[in-house]
Amino acid sequence: MSLIVQKFGGSSVADAESIKRVAKRIIETRKAGHDVVVVVSAMGDTTDELADLAHQVTPMPDPREFDMLLTSGERISMALLAMAIRSQGYSAQSFTGSQAGMITDSRHGAARIVDVTPGRILDSLREGNIAIVAGFQGFSRESRDITTLGRGGSDTTAVALAAALDAAVCEIYTDVDGIFTSDPRVVPMARKIDRITSEEMLELAAAGAKVLHIRAVEYARRHGVTLHVRSSFSNAEGTLVINETAEQYAARIARESTTSEDGTVEEPIISGIATDLSEAKITVVGVPDVRGKAAAIFNVVAGAGANVDMIVQNVSAAATGLTDISFTLPKADGQKVIAALTADQPVIGFQSLQYDDQIGKLALVGAGMRTNTGVSANFFEALSIAGINIEMISTSEIRISVVTRADSLQTAAQAVHTAFGLDGDAEAVVYAGTGR
Ligand code: ADP
Ligand code: ASP
Ligand code: MG
């Protein structure tokens, strides 16, 4: 008998009927003879609604109280799910993150797991229960406060428990049939991927594919947890995220590649496309082109606690000796970074700041890119034919990202998806959720 961790996202438990349906599914796993630990998210868009409520009370909610508020969402769904399972004749107990031993540091809204001590979960399993754990939350020994792991963090709770309990697999149940070549809400012709490497999934998640929380993928890779993403609305096979090294990847591709008639090996070069509308762009205009200015600017940005993604510095105009530096960051961090830079404007000596929250980010990801030279050319060609203007570009070994206008992001994604031959045979099914 093995232990399985199953995580159900918000859209899978959006209402009473869904909770009963999920309960049935969990019981089936129990009946098959497995121990089951369930991690559950808040119902539907509850977390967003609670956040909206907080912002109606105050524009800058206190981080401690904000975490207290948001964690209440998972408390509702965990208790209802336990009740539903009990009413169907199986024993279940729900636990908050802190009862389940999810110990974190004390960073509200972005806490990191420092220890997992699931003693109570093990006791509950030993007593024959299905254990239900509230996702996305933990407890800091340092501050003795309740923390959250960041939006989408229930995936990470599930992986951390799977690692601590040495589970056979960590199943992530959501509102689509698995991981697709692109977000099916943006690119309806997206194709389901059967297996994806954790390296590729990390790049997709980093580029905004919220189907998996990036830290869940990192944690799973580090601890050798097998992730299986699938729909709670169907019995489709889903997607396995496999932990393999670049060498193992190359060996597998060599085995799996098809050899075409002229004897050349055709590798799957691209694994997918990610889109992201959650970022904004700040341009620091008229920065003196002398040593130390970039450091000064990004020290201020880091001090404000923002994670910068893409950075572009223009060539300075010879006549003025001034340059512009643009960077992207989460919209949620925009105002505090503008405030921090404005405060330091006299010291850094730039002329002005521009804030643009109408940008979209598109990333093309594929492990095969590192050995294939034509990818960037095809990518830019496809965007040009689709009439998309590119505002920023950045690359890694297995990714190319661009910034476009927000309202042309979907057209851009669909064009690139088609250009790289990623389109499936039929439209992907989106079972539920609002995409919020
Ligand atoms: P949950 O509430 O189950 O955690 P999320 O909304 O966090 O669900 O994640 C599932 C959503 O992720 C899908 O409905 C889809 O819109 C989006 N998504 C983004 N990129 C992808 C992708 N490459 N494959 C599948 N889904 C994706
Ligand atoms: N409920 C939290 C959120 O919406 C955590 C999660 O669903 O993973 O971000
Ligand atoms: Mg999620």
Side-chain angles (χ1 to χ4, degrees):
M1 177 153 118
S2 58
L3 189 150
I4 295 183
V5 173
Q6 300 189 320
K7 177 257 171 179
F8 293 89
S11 53
S12 295
V13 293
D15 51 34
E17 276 319 304
S18 306
I19 290 175
K20 289 196 247 179
R21 188 175 49 81
V22 162
K24 207 167 276 156
R25 183 145 201 161
I26 295 166
I27 289 171
E28 274 164 28
T29 310
R30 183 82 186 95
K31 276 189 191 156
H34 301 287
D35 272 336
V36 192
V37 174
V38 175
V39 173
V40 71
S41 294
M43 294 170 69
D45 290 333
T46 299
T47 310
D48 288 299
E49 286 155 11
L50 290 171
D52 289 349
L53 196 56
H55 287 103
Q56 285 165 30
V57 171
T58 165
M60 296 268 271
D62 176 71
R64 178 186 184 277
E65 302 311 328
F66 196 58
D67 273 358
M68 279 300 220
L69 178 71
L70 294 196
T71 52
S72 67
E74 271 70 14
R75 232 175 141 126
I76 296 172
S77 49
M78 72 178 195
L80 291 171
L81 187 54
M83 289 174 201
I85 292 173
R86 296 183 86 92
S87 80
Q88 293 178 35
Y90 281 76
S91 47
Q93 277 184 326
S94 65
F95 298 92
T96 64
S98 95
Q99 285 177 314
M102 303 299 305
I103 310 299
T104 71
D105 63 18
S106 51
R107 258 177 293 178
H108 287 295
R112 294 204 153 246
I113 297 168
V114 295
D115 197 6
V116 183
T117 54
R120 290 201 63 183
I121 303 300
L122 285 168
D123 289 345
S124 185
L125 292 175
R126 238 175 262 128
E127 288 161 16
N129 294 302
I130 294 166
I132 319 275
V133 178
F136 154 76
Q137 53 181 266
F139 173 77
S140 162
R141 284 182 186 136
E142 209 174 71
S143 64
R144 292 181 297 159
D145 277 326
I146 300 295
T147 56
T148 61
L149 308 180
R151 297 304 307 273
S154 296
D155 298 339
T156 303
T157 305
V159 172
L161 276 171
L165 298 168
D166 201 18
V169 59
C170 179
E171 297 180 334
I172 306 286
Y173 286 91
T174 184
D175 53 12
V176 289
D177 277 327
I179 299 166
F180 284 73
T181 48
S182 189
D183 184 340
R185 288 178 211 270
V186 179
V187 181
M189 294 309 286
R191 189 159 35 81
K192 204 205 78 183
I193 303 169
D194 295 333
R195 294 200 288 175
I196 188 167
T197 64
S198 50
E199 184 191 23
E200 289 169 303
M201 190 58 231
L202 276 176
E203 289 278 1
L204 283 174
K210 67 167 185 166
V211 63
L212 281 177
H213 195 223
I214 184 163
R215 277 165 49 202
V217 186
E218 279 167 359
Y219 206 106
R221 179 150 79 155
R222 214 164 344 111
H223 294 265
V225 173
T226 303
L227 273 170
H228 187 180
V229 180
R230 47 196 313 195
S231 166
S232 71
F233 298 85
S234 82
N235 283 313
E237 250 316 295
T239 304
L240 276 178
V241 182
I242 46 184
N243 300 302
E244 63 184 7
T245 61
E247 291 74 34
Q248 288 168 328
Y249 171 81
R252 182 169 60 80
I253 290 301
R255 279 197 312 277
E256 291 179 1
S257 306
T258 52
T259 307
S260 61
E261 276 162 18
D262 63 357
T264 55
V265 175
E266 290 172 9
E267 291 186 15
I269 297 162
I270 301 302
S271 55
I273 293 169
T275 51
D276 189 356
L277 286 170
S278 69
E279 300 232 318
K281 178 172 81 172
I282 291 178
T283 302
V284 190
V285 181
V287 182
D289 195 1
V290 295
R291 190 165 53 90
K293 290 298 172 189
I297 289 169
F298 290 104
N299 267 326
V300 172
V301 176
N307 270 333
V308 168
D309 183 25
M310 290 193 200
I311 301 174
V312 173
Q313 175 175 339
N314 292 331
V315 180
S316 66
T320 59
L322 296 177
T323 185
D324 295 344
I325 296 179
S326 298
F327 56 91
T328 63
L329 77 176
K331 278 180 190 162
D333 294 334
Q335 291 318 314
K336 62 182 179 195
V337 169
I338 291 282
L341 282 171
T342 305
D344 276 26
Q345 181 170 8
V347 191
I348 303 172
F350 59 85
Q351 290 175 333
S352 62
L353 293 172
Q354 286 171 359
Y355 184 69
D356 178 357
D357 62 2
Q358 291 304 308
I359 62 161
K361 227 178 57 188
L362 172 69
L364 182 69
V365 172
M369 265 161 77
R370 81 180 116 218
T371 52
N372 192 299
T373 46
V375 175
S376 338
N378 292 346
F379 180 62
F380 296 128
E381 177 81 10
L383 289 173
S384 146
I385 291 169
I388 307 292
N389 186 40
I390 299 168
E391 299 182 15
M392 293 169 102
I393 302 174
S394 89
T395 59
S396 83
E397 210 187 6
I398 67 165
R399 174 185 51 76
I400 314 176
S401 305
V402 293
V403 167
T404 67
R405 282 295 90 206
D407 57 13
S408 51
L409 185 63
Q410 181 163 24
T411 309
Q414 290 176 350
V416 172
H417 199 267
T418 304
F420 281 90
L422 298 175
D423 290 356
D425 300 329
E427 286 199 4
V429 185
V430 177
Y431 295 93
T434 59
R436 192 171 171 188

